[in-house]
Amino acid sequence: MRNRFLAETYRHQTTNALGSAAKKIGDPELINLSIGDPDFVTPQEIIDEAFVQAGEGHTKYTKPSGDPQLVTAIRGFLKEEYQAHVEQDEIMVTVGACHAMYVAMSAILDEGDEVIVPDPYFVPYSDQVTMAGGKFVPLETSFEEGFQLDLDALEKKITSRTKAILINSPNNPTGAVYGRETLERLGKIAQKHSLIVLSDEVYEAISFGQKHVSVLEIADLKDRSIVFGSFSKSYAMTGWRIGYAIAPEYVIATMVHINESICFSAPSVSQRAALSALRQRHALQPSLVAAFEERMVYGYRRIVATGTLDVLRPKGGIYLFVDIRKTKLGSEAFAARLLAEKKVLVLPGNVFGEAGEGFVRIAVTVDLQKLKIAFDRIEEFIKTTGD
Ligand code: PMP
């Protein structure tokens, strides 16, 4: 009965995979490696500064494009890190990167415009594209190819309706990291077909061994890209909800216009906390990144040591996308049984797109001690699978 009050579009939909996983939490023995919300609490220095800033009156709306001091600090960061020259009106501060992505898609997509997205992909992308009126076009990537972009296959997917390609490096869920050469070739394709590149770089700081390459460094992409950044993972600030978009001025102006009817501005005190994070980044970030790297390398070793499971060597991000095909279980059966029999919650790879079947995603969001227990349980579990 209540159904009829809902829009037709949403009447028969259930929550997405991340939402459903969240509902299973509560059992104290459960080790939750599902959602990408790490156990780290925001560094105390940032929290203290946020208190001070709230007391000093940063409790009101900010400029719709963001607190000017934060925008200036983001520009400084981009220059220092990527030698990128970004103007004040080419940045918009948002309520996390997810908000930035949705508003950006709303700004660029007309009904039926196609967006090509490497599959497996971060779950919200598909809804974001369709909610903004676009058509989601998955581009398969494979473990065998290191989940890298197949640029020839990409070109074959381009039609007269293709508007954008959405990339994510370091990648959630696969862990793939795109090198400069890939991005340069992508830049040529984007030029040739007049495409926008949406580049989700929320894990840029969490790169191991090699420095992250931003599309802002690629000459062909600079004027045709929308880059998404976030404070969520790189400063342990998921709940403060601060992200940003970097785009040509006319795109930012349109995004700001759209967002004036959604939430007007990002939370002011959170923006001051983000400013404090940027100012202290050299002191605060290395230990956080090192902790993620230690966990990723530990997980990698444990997975490879099973002889049954496999995974890419970690290069960045906080996810291990584990090849479970030798267990002869499908993604969902593996995840369901692991949860029921061993109380370890991972996400089935197929929720990240068809190309994710045969994989499960492990988020290294718990400490090494808990990870050890989780991998001991996984090891016991896989002994009961296969033939
Ligand atoms: N992009 C990717 C690839 C992510 O994994 C996440 C968070 N899990 C986001 C965007 C969203 O980040 P935020 O918290 O800034 O909205």
Side-chain angles (χ1 to χ4, degrees):
M1 179 57 196
R2 286 170 57 201
N3 249 4
R4 76 181 187 85
F5 292 134
L6 292 175
E8 186 75 53
T9 322
Y10 296 107
R11 262 182 222 178
H12 306 291
Q13 286 191 354
T14 49
T15 54
N16 77 22
L18 306 186
S20 332
K23 292 195 187 119
K24 295 179 186 152
I25 301 159
D27 180 342
E29 275 183 50
L30 182 93
I31 301 182
N32 182 9
L33 306 176
S34 65
I35 297 173
D37 197 358
D39 52 333
F40 301 116
V41 173
T42 307
Q44 194 58 42
E45 295 87 333
I46 297 175
I47 297 173
D48 291 346
E49 184 62 19
F51 267 88
V52 172
Q53 295 287 315
E56 287 180 3
H58 288 282
T59 55
K60 303 173 188 297
Y61 297 123
T62 65
K63 261 185 88 173
S65 55
D67 180 319
Q69 278 183 286
L70 175 58
V71 173
T72 302
I74 294 170
R75 289 173 66 200
F77 155 71
L78 296 170
K79 183 144 187 269
E80 184 183 322
E81 202 61 27
Y82 302 111
Q83 292 74 52
H85 296 273
V86 178
E87 302 296 334
Q88 200 82 4
D89 56 8
E90 292 176 327
I91 296 179
M92 175 184 179
V93 178
T94 57
V95 184
C98 269
H99 173 225
M101 292 183 313
Y102 176 61
V103 176
M105 289 189 205
S106 304
I108 63 165
L109 297 180
D110 284 312
E111 203 65 33
D113 280 347
E114 295 171 9
V115 181
I116 301 175
V117 182
D119 175 357
Y121 52 85
F122 176 50
V123 177
Y125 293 158
S126 60
D127 277 350
Q128 288 180 338
V129 170
T130 41
M131 285 194 295
K135 184 173 168 216
F136 183 83
V137 180
L139 169 70
E140 192 183 331
T141 63
S142 71
F143 179 75
E144 286 67 27
E145 300 293 325
F147 292 111
Q148 289 293 313
L149 267 185
D150 178 341
L151 292 163
D152 296 326
L154 166 68
E155 259 198 299
K156 289 196 190 113
K157 294 257 178 196
I158 296 172
T159 71
S160 59
R161 289 307 307 267
T162 307
K163 190 81 185 262
I165 160 147
L166 167 52
I167 59 169
N168 170 219
S169 169
N171 190 276
N172 172 12
T174 67
V177 164
Y178 300 156
R180 192 175 300 273
E181 200 192 314
T182 301
L183 296 179
E184 276 170 357
R185 285 187 59 205
L186 178 66
K188 298 271 175 274
I189 294 172
Q191 279 277 5
K192 183 171 149 198
H193 299 277
S194 194
L195 301 180
I196 301 165
V197 170
L198 302 167
S199 183
D200 179 344
E201 302 188 14
V202 304
Y203 296 102
E204 53 91 28
I206 308 172
S207 294
F208 317 132
Q210 78 298 319
K211 202 171 164 304
H212 171 73
V213 185
S214 171
V215 300
L216 294 170
E217 298 172 68
I218 310 296
D220 285 332
L221 288 174
K222 173 80 175 69
D223 295 328
R224 55 176 64 252
S225 60
I226 308 179
V227 178
F228 305 106
S230 175
F231 289 82
S232 284
K233 310 295 160 80
S234 42
Y235 297 94
M237 291 178 70
T238 51
W240 299 78
R241 309 305 302 126
I242 297 295
Y244 52 91
I246 304 150
E249 170 277 323
Y250 62 93
V251 176
I252 292 293
T254 305
M255 288 174 63
V256 167
H257 168 77
I258 293 169
N259 193 49
E260 280 171 4
S261 304
I262 300 178
C263 58
F264 193 77
S265 70
S268 50
V269 74
S270 292
Q271 293 193 61
R272 299 307 285 185
L275 175 60
S276 157
L278 269 185
R279 286 181 174 159
Q280 301 180 76
R281 89 181 167 103
H282 294 300
L284 301 180
Q285 223 171 31
S287 57
L288 193 67
V289 176
F292 280 127
E293 181 171 10
E294 193 180 21
R295 293 173 181 190
M296 289 285 276
V297 170
Y298 176 76
Y300 166 77
R301 294 212 175 109
R302 291 293 306 259
I303 290 162
V304 173
T306 63
T308 309
L309 306 177
D310 205 356
V311 67
L312 296 184
R313 187 180 288 274
K315 288 190 177 157
I318 63 171
Y319 306 100
L320 295 158
F321 205 53
V322 184
D323 182 351
I324 58 157
R325 288 172 292 184
K326 280 196 197 149
T327 67
K328 308 257 168 59
L329 289 176
S331 297
E332 284 181 18
F334 186 101
R337 279 188 50 189
L338 184 62
L339 176 63
E341 295 169 30
K342 297 290 172 193
K343 299 197 173 181
V344 176
L345 181 60
V346 298
L347 286 178
N350 62 329
V351 304
F352 302 96
E354 276 179 30
E357 179 51 52
F359 293 80
V360 295
R361 191 192 75 173
I362 289 178
V364 294
T365 48
V366 300
D367 62 26
L368 274 182
Q369 216 181 340
K370 267 200 182 155
L371 265 189
K372 180 180 180 316
I373 301 169
F375 279 108
D376 289 347
R377 293 187 195 172
I378 290 171
E379 212 171 75
E380 284 166 24
F381 171 68
I382 56 169
K383 286 190 189 132
T384 69
T385 66
D387 46 22

